[in-house]
């Protein structure tokens, strides 16, 4: 229903609607082990890096390297992604593509998967089982 009611591709599953909350819960339920296995090494590496007194340009390089490590962990783990999430993405792609061009559909799916699935773990690793310490 949210696909049918939403004419603006930038807001798909971004508001805190019941649909978005259920989607986030479902993704976490079926994908939590996958998330931890996939993201934990890259996140722990960031947490353990205590390098200080970096110049501004080195801070930027370090930030870019950290993001690249996280994205690489995600992109190289696609084969291990739970089938339920792959099926959900396939279904969403079919429904959204009825109203939007392929380029828009890819952006919407990427937004859903990153915003509702990967980003919460990256930004709140303790709450998502990556670490037991506050950071």
């Amino acid at each position: 229903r949210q696909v049918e009611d939403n004419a603006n591709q930038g807001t798909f599953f971004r508001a805190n609607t019941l649909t978005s909350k259920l989607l986030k819960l479902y993704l976490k339920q079926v994908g939590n082990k996958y998330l931890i296995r996939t993201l934990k090494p890259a996140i722990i590496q960031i947490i353990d890096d205590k390098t200080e007194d970096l110049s501004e340009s080195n801070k930027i390089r370090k930030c870019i390297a950290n993001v690249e490590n996280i994205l690489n962990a995600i992109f190289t783990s696609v084969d291990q992604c739970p089938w339920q999430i792959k099926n959900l993405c396939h279904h969403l792609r079919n429904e959204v593509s009825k109203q939007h061009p392929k380029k828009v559909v890819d952006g919407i799916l990427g937004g859903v998967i990153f915003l509702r699935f990967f980003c919460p773990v990256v930004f709140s690793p303790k709450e998502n089982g990556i670490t037991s310490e506050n950071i």
Side-chain angles (χ1 to χ4, degrees):
R1 177 150 167 89
Q2 186 165 355
V3 172
E4 294 171 3
D5 293 345
N6 199 330
N8 182 355
Q9 71 237 22
T11 60
F12 270 91
F13 301 106
R14 299 208 179 195
N16 274 331
T17 63
L18 179 60
T19 305
S20 293
K21 290 176 185 179
L22 288 172
L23 177 65
K24 183 178 176 180
L25 280 170
Y26 178 74
L27 289 170
K28 185 169 180 164
Q29 179 70 32
V30 299
N32 197 52
K33 289 179 184 175
Y34 163 74
L35 280 173
I36 292 171
R37 186 176 57 247
T38 300
L39 296 178
K40 188 172 185 172
I43 293 172
I44 294 298
Q45 181 180 356
I46 294 168
I47 292 169
D48 288 347
D49 185 356
K50 306 294 184 198
T51 307
E52 295 183 21
D53 300 326
L54 294 174
S55 67
E56 201 61 35
S57 62
N58 284 339
K59 286 180 185 177
I60 292 169
R61 277 191 215 106
K62 184 177 171 181
C63 182
I64 291 170
N66 289 335
V67 170
E68 286 175 345
N69 285 341
I70 290 170
L71 289 174
N72 187 49
I74 293 168
F75 295 150
T76 59
S77 72
V78 171
D79 290 342
Q80 290 108 38
C81 184
W83 64 267
Q84 297 96 326
I85 295 173
K86 291 178 182 180
N87 285 351
L88 175 68
C89 288
H90 180 74
H91 176 72
L92 286 174
R93 175 181 294 282
N94 287 341
E95 291 303 311
V96 174
S97 65
K98 292 176 184 176
Q99 295 180 313
H100 298 283
K102 182 187 182 321
K103 184 177 179 181
V104 172
V105 172
D106 291 344
I108 290 169
L109 281 176
V112 167
I113 292 300
F114 277 89
L115 179 68
R116 297 289 176 193
F117 189 54
F118 289 110
C119 286
V121 175
V122 172
F123 289 108
S124 301
K126 181 180 178 185
E127 290 80 5
N128 288 283
I130 298 290
T131 182
S132 59
E133 56 189 84
N134 288 322
I135 56 169

